[in-house]
Amino acid sequence: MQACPGLLSQRGWNVGWARREVRDPDCMSTADRSHAAGAAPDSDPGRMAVASTYQRFEPRAYLRNNYAPPRGDLNNPDGVGPWKLRCLAQTFATGEVSGRTLIDIGSGPTIYQLLSACAHFEDITMTDFLEANRQELGLWLREEPGAFDWSVYSQHVCLIEGKGESWQEKERQLRARVKRVLPIDVHQSQPLGAGSLAPLPADALVSAFCLEAVSPDLASFQRALDHITTLLRPGGHLLLIGALEESWYLAGEARLAVVPVCEEEVREALEHSGYEVRDLRTYTMPARLQTGVDDVKGIFFTWAQKKVGV
């Protein structure tokens, strides 16, 4: 079910979507990429193995597996897609998760996680590891031919929000409010590197299927959560979506390892990182959606608020 690798990306797009070269990724080792982000070399063999495996990640295969039917069928209200979109829409509808700046941690090749957010934040930063995912996001943000069609998701969000907004207006607003796509490494103490272009600290963070997908073990998952928490202001909000009890998933020829987490481990990790858990919901993956592309048992959604003084 995962995508959204949260390790270091090598290239970015600025506000005008002009190419910003950090350095040619084909000429960089893992340690070089860490130095490029202003971080110490990462010699952890588990994380190096994760980074290496993700080089075979195929965004379009991942999108077909998870965001086209059957998992991408939004007509069944009991499906995983409608469940995720409802969790996000209902949380933003409270009016409590709002502000000027939002960072999406490990965006992967997807934008659905920001469809409800874009009405509440005027400055959104997307982030990812892979150049292939960055290119996929750029196609959609620039409305280029061949971009993945998210209109079914946009229409569904407009329907459940009930504001009378058209899906075209929703997508225009999201494109206008995504100001940058930046490199990130959730395993570094400065996840966005030194001198980041993102305004910090952010008022809110969103992260979908990222931390468990790039962490070789639970301790690494906890540290990654600690690291991204430094990007969030005290009192700010984190909306976190992830897989429950998943150990692997496919994205084309890549078979990617996932650290299995349960609901209680997610809650404990959030509390350890200094959050008050405001809401934690789970979804059990039905047999009809167990399609052989992963071994996910369910999904979690949590709304957490960073405690003041943390």
Side-chain angles (χ1 to χ4, degrees):
M1 189 70 201
Q2 315 297 341
C4 318
L7 296 167
L8 178 63
S9 175
Q10 294 86 31
R11 296 180 186 171
W13 300 88
N14 67 8
V15 176
W17 305 109
R19 179 64 62 91
R20 289 179 54 86
E21 296 289 346
V22 175
R23 213 192 291 180
D24 184 351
D26 296 331
C27 300
M28 297 176 68
S29 67
T30 301
D32 289 334
R33 290 195 292 269
S34 295
H35 282 307
D42 186 352
S43 59
D44 182 280
R47 294 200 298 269
M48 292 178 70
V50 170
S52 176
T53 303
Y54 266 104
Q55 297 306 318
R56 299 193 299 274
F57 181 93
E58 297 178 30
R60 283 302 172 105
Y62 171 79
L63 291 170
R64 286 194 302 271
N65 290 347
N66 294 285
Y67 298 98
R71 288 185 176 178
D73 180 4
L74 303 185
N75 293 319
N76 188 331
D78 296 327
V80 62
W83 184 84
K84 290 185 293 184
L85 296 176
R86 280 197 306 272
C87 288
L88 291 163
Q90 290 168 0
T91 303
F92 283 110
T94 67
E96 293 189 57
V97 185
S98 62
R100 191 178 75 85
T101 59
L102 179 145
I103 300 175
D104 182 24
I105 304 293
S107 305
T110 68
I111 60 89
Y112 74 93
Q113 66 274 17
L114 298 174
L115 288 168
S116 287
C118 66
H120 302 271
F121 296 88
E122 63 188 58
D123 186 311
I124 296 175
T125 300
M126 300 185 79
T127 66
D128 199 62
F129 171 33
L130 295 175
E131 174 67 6
N133 280 345
R134 303 285 295 277
Q135 290 176 346
E136 192 69 46
L137 292 175
L139 290 176
W140 188 86
L141 289 164
R142 297 187 304 272
E143 300 185 74
E144 292 190 3
F148 189 79
D149 183 3
W150 290 102
S151 62
V152 173
Y153 282 78
S154 304
Q155 291 170 42
H156 193 82
V157 170
C158 290
L159 178 65
I160 60 179
E161 288 181 344
K163 299 177 182 176
E165 182 182 21
S166 73
W167 68 267
Q168 294 94 338
E169 291 170 329
K170 172 69 74 178
E171 292 194 349
R172 277 196 294 269
Q173 183 178 55
L174 178 54
R175 288 186 174 101
R177 294 194 167 185
V178 173
K179 303 300 184 183
R180 63 197 68 81
V181 181
L182 297 179
I184 191 167
D185 185 340
V186 299
H187 295 305
Q188 301 298 335
S189 59
Q190 291 182 296
L192 292 173
S196 168
L197 296 176
L200 295 174
D203 294 315
L205 305 177
V206 169
S207 187
F209 303 107
C210 175
L211 301 186
E212 72 277 14
V214 299
S215 299
D217 50 47
L218 192 58
S220 184
F221 174 89
Q222 179 70 72
R223 287 191 297 270
L225 180 59
D226 291 343
H227 293 158
I228 69 168
T229 299
T230 65
L231 305 176
L232 182 64
R233 68 168 175 82
H237 299 268
L238 166 65
L239 304 186
L240 189 65
I241 300 175
L244 290 171
E245 299 295 346
E246 182 180 43
S247 66
W248 61 271
Y249 75 101
L250 301 178
E253 295 183 2
R255 181 185 172 101
L256 300 125
V258 182
V259 57
V261 296
C262 66
E263 178 182 354
E264 191 55 37
E265 286 168 333
V266 173
R267 184 184 296 275
E268 290 175 358
L270 287 163
E271 291 174 349
H272 184 273
S273 291
Y275 289 94
E276 175 193 354
V277 178
R278 300 285 301 275
D279 188 15
L280 179 54
R281 314 181 196 181
T282 62
Y283 173 89
T284 300
M285 189 68 74
R288 62 183 174 82
L289 297 182
Q290 294 175 6
T291 57
V293 299
D294 54 39
D295 65 347
V296 66
K297 304 299 187 296
I299 310 295
F300 69 83
F301 168 85
T302 185
W303 167 19
Q305 186 170 16
K306 184 176 178 179
K307 297 176 181 177
V308 176
V310 174

